[in-house]
Each structure stands twice: as structure tokens, then as C-alpha cells.
Amino acid sequence: MMVFCDTNAPGTTPAAARPPAQDEAPIAAPPSPAMTTTAAPDGLPLPRRYAAIASLCFGTALVIIDGGVANVALPTIARDLHVGSSSVVAIVTVYQLMLVMLMLPFAGLGDRIGLKRMYQLGQLIFTVATLLCFFAKSLPFLLVVRAVQAIGAAGALAVASSLIRQTYPAAQLGRGLGVNSVVVASSAAAAPTIGGLVLSVAPWPWVFASAIPFAVASLVLGRALPDPAPNDRPFDVTGAVMCAAMFGLVIGGAESAVHGDSPVVSVAIVLLGLMIGRIYVRRERTNAQPILPVDLLSRPVIALSTIGGFTAFTASMTLLLSTPFRLTHEYGMTAAAVGAAIAPWPLTNMIVAPLMGWLSDRVPAGLLGGIGMAISGTALLLIGFMPPDPSWFDIAWRMSLCGAGFGTFLPPNARLIIGSAPRERAAAAGGLVSTVRLVGQTTGATLVAALLALNVGAGATPALVAAGLALVAGLCSLARLRPSIRDPHRDEADDVQPAAGVR
């Protein structure tokens, strides 16, 4: 999750006083008073700020852990519900699909009804849906519950970045970014281990319940969250529906091609989604503040970063989702052992990602991304060609190397997307980063389901496919080193930074 804030608050060093990173577009002038919110310009007062930070940290951990623990539990759920491996992957796909469909529309809705209200309403929906997991006796019911969980998670995630922006003082935004990065990485690291431990002592519904304490803590502490006044701008209902329909039909149609028995219907669904998407994109091009940031995607550096981020997230999800099946079916490992074997990936990422975010201020993101994908591609090939009877260490060091590579690529890539956008479109750039992550992860889950349906998803094939995707991401990253792409033209720079004399 990326966070951004007005760093020109009183008493702080103006953001424009810092020269932009080597591959970042110049920073725009401060927003006009009409664009600011009613929240305090320098964050929340103490000690309220600490309670708000804790609430946001618990809320972030809630969503990350819930998504991670489900991956480890998939083989157990498939056995207990008497469904195939390719079908049970829908538990992850449905969750990701709903997030993709609702993230951008809910961001606009949060501005309309209030950020704090949207955040806490989303958490409440998520918690109630999690409790319903205990009553799931069939896969269809569990999928419905997971869809409701995703609605709640989307409501919270869509406005989380805006709430963090209102919480931290401008002078401490770097610290806020660091805290958020550590929470995300540590939650991702803990999720496989939590899932494996819970499965070793309790039935699989308790895996989902492991996130409830985080939801309760976030809701209780949420009274301290900032509550800026909602705007009175009309909510673009038509645009929101078209955005959700576009993502839902395209990704849902691809998923139905894997699980359904009517390829013609699946292709028709995908084509309908593409047709809606074409109309939607043309409509958004005429919108001054489009829900889908087509204005940003017209910039080559952002377009390349978006493609690279998409393929990188698809590659990582392909490996992380297929690995439990391979370790369980091919190597006969227990659920606890699977969680322990996967944990080195996020643990390494937790160390590398914040460091790379700091380093991206000094080294071009294109170079860091190319190095990162070279590391990940090598690690993915090594995972694909693991020995017939690997030890825990054989798996762990390969997963750690892979996590280091993705940790080197993703933070600089996200920073470049946001840094290359005009200041008044920084929120849209942050939404683009989140949506790319979700679309990539959903595509990865669908790809794994397809490979499992073809009986090649529990072996070396997913790792080799992920290595190919990492190669594409690396090439996109290196392409950004071209001066014509990395450095904006003078007229483009003027659009980003209209104030003369700002350096």
C-alpha cells in the first residue's frame, strides 16, 4: 500500500526543495486551498495520532493475513469439502476479483460519504463475514462468504491511504511509509506460519478466524481516526458500475473458462467485458477526474511501470499459490511444514522492500527493477528444478532469494508510478498501484487454477511460467532507463509542475 501526503504543511520543508529522483517527474506545485480537506494540515495531535496509527496497522494486517492464510488452507479445504484442487482455488480468486471490481469505485464513494465511515463500515462487514465461515459446509456457500469478506476489505483498503495521509504530520511521512511497509511485509510473513499452525490444531474455519482479533482491535481504536469532511461532488455511479463490470466480466469470464464446461459462454463473457471496457475508457478520457486513470497511463514511464508491476504480481501469485499444492502432493509435506517453507519469502521481503524504497530516491527504479527481476527469475528457475527430495533448507533459501528479487523490484516500481504523476493526480496514481497489484494477483490465481485443471499445476510448471513473467517485468523495467522515457519532455514537465521557479 502506498501513501502520499501534502508535504508543504506549515513548519516543514517543502517537498519541491528536494530534487526529484533520477527517473521521477518533477513535483507539482502545492494544491490550492480549495483542494485541501478540513483535517489538520500537520496530522493528528498526540496521543490520538498513536491510536489512529495502531488502528490503521491492525486494519492493514487484517487484510494481508486473511489473504495469506487462505493459500495454505486450500488443500485441506478441498479434501474436507470433497472438491477438486482447481475448484478450491476459486476461494482466492473470488476474493481477489471482488477487490479488483470495487477498489476504485469505493475510493470515490469514500470521498463522498466520509473516509472514516467507509473504513470502519468495511471492517465491520469483513468481521461479520469471517464469522460466517464457521457455517460453511459447501464450496458455494464459502465462496459467497468470501465475496462478502472482499466487499468489506475493499471498503477499508480503498480509503486507507487517504486516512494515513491525514494521520501523519508532513515531516514524518517517511516514517509513516516505513511503518506501513513493515506492517505489510511482517503480516505477509506471519500469514503462512499462522495458517499452518492453526491447521495443525484446529479445523480449517479457524484459519479465517485468526484475523478477527485484528479487526476488533482496529474497530475499537478507530475512534481516533481522522474524519475529514466528505465532499459534495456527485458520485459517478455510471462510471463505477462500468469499472466494476469491466474487471468483473473479463476476469470472471477467464475464471469460468477454467471451472466451467462451456468455453463459448466464457469467451462471450470476456468479449462483453472488453466491449464495456472500450466504451468505458473512451468515456473516461473525457472526464477531468476519471475513476480509471487513463490520463496517467498515457505517459510511457507509467505505462511500462504498470505492465511490469502487473506481470511481477502475476508471477509472485502464481508461485505462492501453487507451491502448497506441490509441497503437499509431490513432497508429502504437512500443512505446518508448508507454511514454514514459504515463510522465508515474506520474511526476506520485509527486510529488502523498505531498503529498496529508500534506495529508489538515489538509484533509478529501472535499474533496481531490472536487477530485482534478474534475481527473481533465477530463483524461480531454481525452484522449478528443485531436487527430488528437498530438505527444508533447499526450499527456504530459494524462496528467500525469490522474495529478495520481488522486494527489489516492487517498491521502486510503485514509487515511480506515483512520482511520475502530477500532484493533483497522486491519489489516482496510488489507486492505480493497488489495482495493478490486485489484477496481477487475481490473474495469477486464475492461471494456477488453469494449470491445476490441466494436471500440471502441482509440479514445476508454475515456477517456470512465473520465471517467464519475471523476464517480461525485467525488460519493462530496463526499458524505463531510456532517456526519452525516463525524462519527460519540457511541455510534459510543465504540465506536472506548473509553478515557475520550483526546484
Side-chain angles (χ1 to χ4, degrees):
M1 183 185 302
M2 299 299 300
V3 188
F4 29 82
C5 182
D6 177 9
T7 54
N8 291 323
T12 64
T13 302
R18 171 184 66 81
Q22 297 183 41
D23 48 5
E24 176 184 334
I27 298 177
S32 65
M35 295 173 59
T36 59
T37 67
T38 59
D42 204 31
L44 295 177
L46 297 175
R48 179 185 174 188
R49 186 192 311 158
Y50 293 140
I53 292 172
S55 175
L56 291 166
C57 287
F58 280 122
T60 299
L62 162 71
V63 178
I64 300 298
I65 289 177
D66 182 79
V69 295
N71 295 346
V72 178
L74 291 182
T76 303
I77 296 173
R79 185 191 64 235
D80 289 355
L81 297 183
H82 308 290
V83 296
S85 297
S86 61
S87 298
V88 79
V89 175
I91 293 173
V92 175
T93 307
V94 166
Y95 185 81
Q96 295 288 346
L97 177 60
M98 293 296 293
L99 283 177
V100 171
M101 292 172 60
L102 299 175
M103 184 69 69
L104 292 175
F106 277 7
L109 184 60
D111 281 335
R112 185 67 181 85
I113 69 173
L115 301 179
K116 179 178 179 180
R117 179 182 299 178
M118 190 71 189
Y119 186 77
Q120 294 198 302
L121 179 61
Q123 288 187 316
L124 183 61
I125 293 174
F126 185 94
T127 304
V128 172
T130 300
L131 293 173
L132 292 176
C133 288
F134 283 92
F135 302 97
K137 302 298 181 183
S138 66
L139 182 61
F141 182 81
L142 183 58
L143 293 179
V144 171
V145 172
R146 287 290 284 175
V148 178
Q149 277 187 311
I151 293 173
L157 284 177
V159 299
S161 295
S162 298
L163 286 173
I164 295 175
R165 174 182 177 178
Q166 299 286 339
T167 298
Y168 285 97
Q172 297 181 14
L173 246 294
R175 183 185 306 177
L177 285 166
V179 169
N180 191 65
S181 297
V182 170
V183 170
V184 171
S186 59
S187 299
T193 303
I194 292 174
L197 291 175
V198 172
L199 286 174
S200 66
V201 297
W204 61 261
W206 285 95
V207 168
F208 298 101
S210 62
I212 290 181
F214 296 94
V216 173
S218 184
L219 285 169
V220 171
L221 294 169
R223 296 179 58 186
L225 288 171
D227 193 15
N231 62 51
D232 55 359
R233 184 179 60 205
F235 179 61
D236 186 5
V237 177
T238 302
V241 171
M242 293 182 71
C243 181
M246 176 184 67
F247 284 117
L249 289 172
V250 172
I251 298 177
E255 179 68 13
S256 70
V258 176
H259 301 297
D261 54 3
S262 179
V264 175
V265 174
S266 300
V267 171
I269 293 173
V270 172
L271 292 176
L272 178 60
L274 292 175
M275 183 171 60
I276 292 176
R278 181 178 180 180
I279 298 172
Y280 176 56
V281 169
R282 292 178 62 182
R283 179 181 184 272
E284 291 292 88
R285 285 176 177 172
T286 63
N287 194 338
Q289 297 289 328
I291 293 178
L292 182 70
V294 292
D295 54 333
L296 300 182
L297 291 172
S298 65
R299 297 170 181 260
V301 66
I302 295 181
L304 283 170
S305 300
T306 299
I307 296 171
F310 168 75
T311 53
F313 280 117
T314 302
S316 63
M317 190 64 168
T318 298
L319 184 72
L320 288 174
L321 195 56
S322 64
T323 297
F325 291 100
R326 185 181 185 187
L327 299 184
T328 301
H329 297 160
E330 185 174 340
Y331 300 124
M333 297 177 66
T334 64
V338 169
I342 296 176
W345 173 313
L347 283 172
T348 304
N349 192 279
M350 180 174 62
I351 299 172
V352 174
L355 176 62
M356 290 302 109
W358 172 82
L359 194 60
S360 64
D361 285 332
R362 296 155 179 82
V363 179
L367 179 60
L368 292 175
I371 294 173
M373 285 298 96
I375 295 172
S376 288
T378 302
L380 288 165
L381 291 175
L382 291 171
I383 291 172
F385 296 105
M386 278 194 299
D389 188 21
S391 64
W392 175 85
F393 181 76
D394 291 329
I395 302 171
W397 74 262
R398 288 172 169 84
M399 298 296 288
S400 179
L401 185 64
C402 208
F406 282 100
T408 302
F409 174 86
L410 291 172
N413 188 72
R415 184 191 184 282
L416 183 57
I417 292 176
I418 294 177
S420 298
R423 179 178 291 276
E424 66 271 13
R425 295 291 286 154
L432 179 62
V433 171
S434 298
T435 302
V436 166
R437 172 177 62 84
L438 292 170
V439 172
Q441 291 174 341
T442 305
T443 303
T446 303
L447 179 58
V448 170
L451 294 174
L452 288 170
L454 296 172
N455 295 319
V456 294
T461 301
L464 301 180
V465 172
L469 293 169
L471 175 62
V472 175
L475 292 176
C476 289
S477 187
L478 292 174
R480 298 177 304 190
L481 293 174
R482 292 180 57 187
S484 60
I485 293 177
R486 184 181 66 192
D487 301 322
H489 295 294
R490 182 68 249 175
D491 55 348
E492 185 178 349
D494 289 340
D495 289 339
V496 178
Q497 183 177 332
V502 178
R503 299 295 298 171

